[in-house]
Amino acid sequence: MTDTSVQDLQQLDQYLRFWNADDKAQQRLLADTVFTEGVEYRALVGLLTGRPALIDLRHQFVAHLGAVTLRLRRTPEVHHRRARVEWELLTGEAGDTSFATGTDIVQLDEDGRISAVTVFLDRAPEGFDAAAHQ
């Protein structure tokens, strides 16, 4: 593994910490470290641009679902400034109910910050209508 890959994996660990941060101040600090200012986030629910939009998305999930935890399903794979991050979204105070699984394709810029994320659902939440979000 190259030094760049080690740095990329560390950045992806921060990415996971961002999605799991409950404190807004901590989440803003992580966002500044993890993402470029104009980060693009593409998911079935829409195209979001910028750090504030991602912070807002996290808070919308919590408002709708209650406690949520994003955990990795396997170690991310990294090459050529891209990463594949397979995750599971868990709900409930104990974080024991699987809500959905997915794969994020993450693009890292030359400084190691995440400039783009494309989200694919591997197992959508029960009752999710992908056509309603296109």
Side-chain angles (χ1 to χ4, degrees):
M1 185 178 310
T2 66
D3 289 340
T4 301
S5 294
V6 169
Q7 292 170 345
D8 292 344
L9 288 173
Q10 290 170 344
Q11 188 71 339
L12 293 170
D13 182 59
Q14 295 291 76
Y15 176 68
L16 186 68
R17 287 185 60 217
F18 167 81
W19 288 114
N20 288 321
D22 290 326
D23 176 79
K24 277 191 173 187
Q26 180 187 21
Q27 197 172 36
R28 277 192 297 275
L29 180 63
L30 286 164
D32 290 345
T33 304
V34 172
F35 301 109
T36 61
E37 188 174 329
V39 61
E40 290 186 353
Y41 185 87
R42 298 170 187 273
L44 286 172
V45 295
L47 171 62
L48 306 174
T49 303
R51 297 173 189 149
L54 297 184
I55 292 169
D56 186 52
L57 177 64
R58 162 75 170 137
H59 291 285
Q60 287 178 31
F61 267 99
V62 171
H64 181 70
L65 299 172
V68 295
T69 303
L70 188 72
R71 76 168 178 90
L72 296 179
R73 293 187 290 151
R74 61 185 284 184
T75 302
E77 297 171 274
V78 181
H79 66 82
H80 298 94
R81 313 305 299 162
R82 303 289 189 281
R84 177 169 57 177
V85 180
E86 295 181 24
W87 50 264
E88 180 176 27
L89 187 62
L90 303 166
T91 60
E93 289 301 321
D96 57 358
T97 304
S98 181
F99 180 73
T101 62
T103 301
D104 290 356
I105 305 301
V106 175
Q107 180 176 331
L108 299 139
D109 74 1
E110 60 279 350
D111 296 325
R113 288 197 174 154
I114 296 171
S115 60
V117 179
T118 303
V119 179
F120 294 92
L121 286 175
D122 299 332
R123 181 180 48 81
E126 186 175 317
F128 181 78
D129 181 8
H133 295 284
Q134 294 182 5

